[in-house]
Amino acid sequence: VLVTLVSVDSLPGECPQDWTVIRTFAASDACGNEATAQQTVTISDTQAPTMDNLPADIVLACGEDLPDHAVTAFDACGQVTLTEAVDTLLIDCPGSFTLIRTFTATDDCGNSTEAQQNIQVIDTIPPVVYVLPEATILCDEDLPTDLPTSEDACSSPVMVELFSVDSVQGDCPQAWEVTLTFLATDACGNTAQSSQLVHVVDTVAPVLVLGLDSATLECGAPLPINLPTYADACDPTSNVIELDPDTLPGACPGEYTVTRHFEATDACGNVSNTSQTVTFIDTGAPEFDFVPGPVTIQCDASLPTDLPTALDDCSGPVSIVLFSVDSVQGACPQAWEVPRPFLAPDACGNEQ
């Protein structure tokens, strides 16, 4: 018997790599009798593609780009389509999370293979906190309360708070260099600091609270010794002293004006000045310290010429003037009572 392959027919399947092959055979014997038979061969693609150069799991800092990959796919029967998908799995905070990078290789018959790369993204970068400019305030003013601004590329919001206040003594008790330190914390707990320098100064002099009114005193009285009262917002113990006075003569020796000068200085050297005017006047008349007593003389004798003496504490010396001479008839024509009135004026016009 002779067996021969008569034909081979192919029928397409559901995908390019699936088909059916029908092989027809003929058998004939020596007498010419024949018979046929068929063989059906089914070819199918159930083998998934393979992938090479799969990337290892990695750790990235927040903000870094995903690295390129060199994944390749191969299929023994046909073309392969390679796709990539990235899913995000949130972990603890906005800037720290895990990316699941899935590679899928699919052939023309729908067979597929998956592989994954785990990419852990962590936020270890501190926020950016901006620096406030230096400030100068008076010693009785409050420290600034402004907070600096801050930003973070990965983990907002950022909380900014006053962290510490440090002071260094300046040139005087009411002067300070104050450093305000601020702490900025992002949503992942990363921190950064910035500082502001505040100059605390005392440039304000003491303020007069109770001054001294002008005064008028009698010539010879002592100068007052009271002092004006000052207040200082930063120094409760301002030093008040009296400086040398100025004296201006008046219209007569017993009248003059004294200007008292005062200076108030705080601990930082700020100075205030004020003054008091004290006017001295002379309203006291001279005082006789000697007056000639009564005398009796003969009618042919001359009248006495001696004069009294007088003292004046403010406007001496005193010149004695015989004011007038009047006569009063006595018991006989040659007897008289002659009173001698004297006037003692001082240089300021006061008379006794």
Side-chain angles (χ1 to χ4, degrees), residues 234-271:
C234 299
D235 182 5
T237 58
S238 297
N239 185 35
V240 182
I241 60 173
E242 182 171 0
L243 305 176
D244 292 336
D246 294 321
T247 302
L248 182 64
C252 62
E255 293 184 353
Y256 51 93
T257 300
V258 177
T259 302
R260 301 174 69 200
H261 301 286
F262 306 96
E263 181 179 271
T265 307
D266 65 19
C268 285
N270 303 297
V271 177

Side-chain angles (χ1 to χ4, degrees), residues 257-332:
T257 300
V258 177
T259 302
R260 301 174 69 200
H261 301 286
F262 306 96
E263 181 179 271
T265 307
D266 65 19
C268 285
N270 303 297
V271 177
S272 289
N273 297 95
T274 189
S275 61
Q276 179 193 28
T277 300
V278 182
T279 301
F280 287 89
I281 60 175
D282 182 5
T283 61
E287 295 287 340
F288 285 102
D289 62 341
F290 167 73
V291 178
V295 295
T296 300
I297 61 174
Q298 292 296 319
C299 59
D300 59 348
S302 298
L303 288 173
T305 60
D306 54 337
L307 297 174
T309 59
L311 298 176
D312 191 274
D313 291 335
C314 296
S315 302
V318 179
S319 297
I320 306 299
V321 178
L322 179 60
F323 187 68
S324 65
V325 177
D326 296 317
S327 300
V328 178
Q329 181 67 56
C332 66

Side-chain angles (χ1 to χ4, degrees), residues 64-344:
E64 283 190 273
D65 294 331
L66 284 177
D68 294 333
H69 66 85
V71 177
T72 58
F74 172 76
D75 190 86
C77 296
Q79 299 297 317
V80 180
T81 300
L82 182 64
T83 60
E84 175 186 350
V86 178
D87 296 312
T88 301
L89 176 63
L90 184 64
I91 301 181
D92 296 325
C93 60
S96 294
F97 49 87
T98 299
L99 298 177
I100 307 298
R101 197 180 197 185
T102 302
F103 301 97
T104 303
T106 306
D107 64 17
D108 292 337
C109 287
N111 302 300
S112 64
T113 300
E114 283 188 353
Q116 289 183 333
Q117 178 191 26
N118 291 327
I119 301 173
Q120 185 179 2
V121 180
I122 58 175
D123 181 7
T124 59
I125 300 174
V128 176
V129 55
Y130 296 98
V131 178
L132 291 174
E134 293 185 12
T136 299
I137 62 173
L138 292 175
C139 51
D140 60 340
E141 293 182 309
D142 294 330
L143 287 172
T145 58
D146 296 336
L147 295 175
T149 58
S150 181
E151 61 183 27
D152 191 275
C154 297
S155 299
S156 296
V158 180
M159 182 181 69
V160 181
E161 60 185 330
L162 179 62
F163 182 68
S164 65
V165 179
D166 300 300
S167 301
V168 177
Q169 180 70 57
D171 296 334
C172 62
Q174 283 70 48
W176 299 87
E177 297 291 318
V178 180
T179 300
L180 304 178
T181 301
F182 303 97
L183 179 68
T185 306
D186 68 14
C188 283
N190 301 301
T191 61
Q193 292 184 353
S194 73
S195 297
Q196 180 187 26
L197 183 60
V198 180
H199 306 280
V200 181
V201 298
D202 182 3
T203 58
V204 179
V207 176
L208 180 65
V209 175
L210 182 61
L212 301 181
D213 295 333
S214 298
T216 300
L217 301 177
E218 188 66 29
C219 171
L223 271 175
I225 59 172
N226 56 333
L227 296 175
T229 301
Y230 282 84
D232 191 277
C234 299
D235 182 5
T237 58
S238 297
N239 185 35
V240 182
I241 60 173
E242 182 171 0
L243 305 176
D244 292 336
D246 294 321
T247 302
L248 182 64
C252 62
E255 293 184 353
Y256 51 93
T257 300
V258 177
T259 302
R260 301 174 69 200
H261 301 286
F262 306 96
E263 181 179 271
T265 307
D266 65 19
C268 285
N270 303 297
V271 177
S272 289
N273 297 95
T274 189
S275 61
Q276 179 193 28
T277 300
V278 182
T279 301
F280 287 89
I281 60 175
D282 182 5
T283 61
E287 295 287 340
F288 285 102
D289 62 341
F290 167 73
V291 178
V295 295
T296 300
I297 61 174
Q298 292 296 319
C299 59
D300 59 348
S302 298
L303 288 173
T305 60
D306 54 337
L307 297 174
T309 59
L311 298 176
D312 191 274
D313 291 335
C314 296
S315 302
V318 179
S319 297
I320 306 299
V321 178
L322 179 60
F323 187 68
S324 65
V325 177
D326 296 317
S327 300
V328 178
Q329 181 67 56
C332 66
Q334 284 70 43
W336 302 87
E337 294 288 329
V338 180
R340 300 173 67 209
F342 300 98
L343 181 66

Side-chain angles (χ1 to χ4, degrees), residues 33-91:
N33 300 304
E34 294 182 354
T36 61
Q38 290 182 330
Q39 179 189 28
T40 300
V41 180
T42 302
I43 301 171
S44 61
D45 182 4
T46 59
Q47 184 69 40
T50 59
M51 286 186 286
D52 293 324
N53 301 319
L54 289 170
D57 294 344
I58 59 172
V59 176
L60 297 180
C62 175
E64 283 190 273
D65 294 331
L66 284 177
D68 294 333
H69 66 85
V71 177
T72 58
F74 172 76
D75 190 86
C77 296
Q79 299 297 317
V80 180
T81 300
L82 182 64
T83 60
E84 175 186 350
V86 178
D87 296 312
T88 301
L89 176 63
L90 184 64
I91 301 181

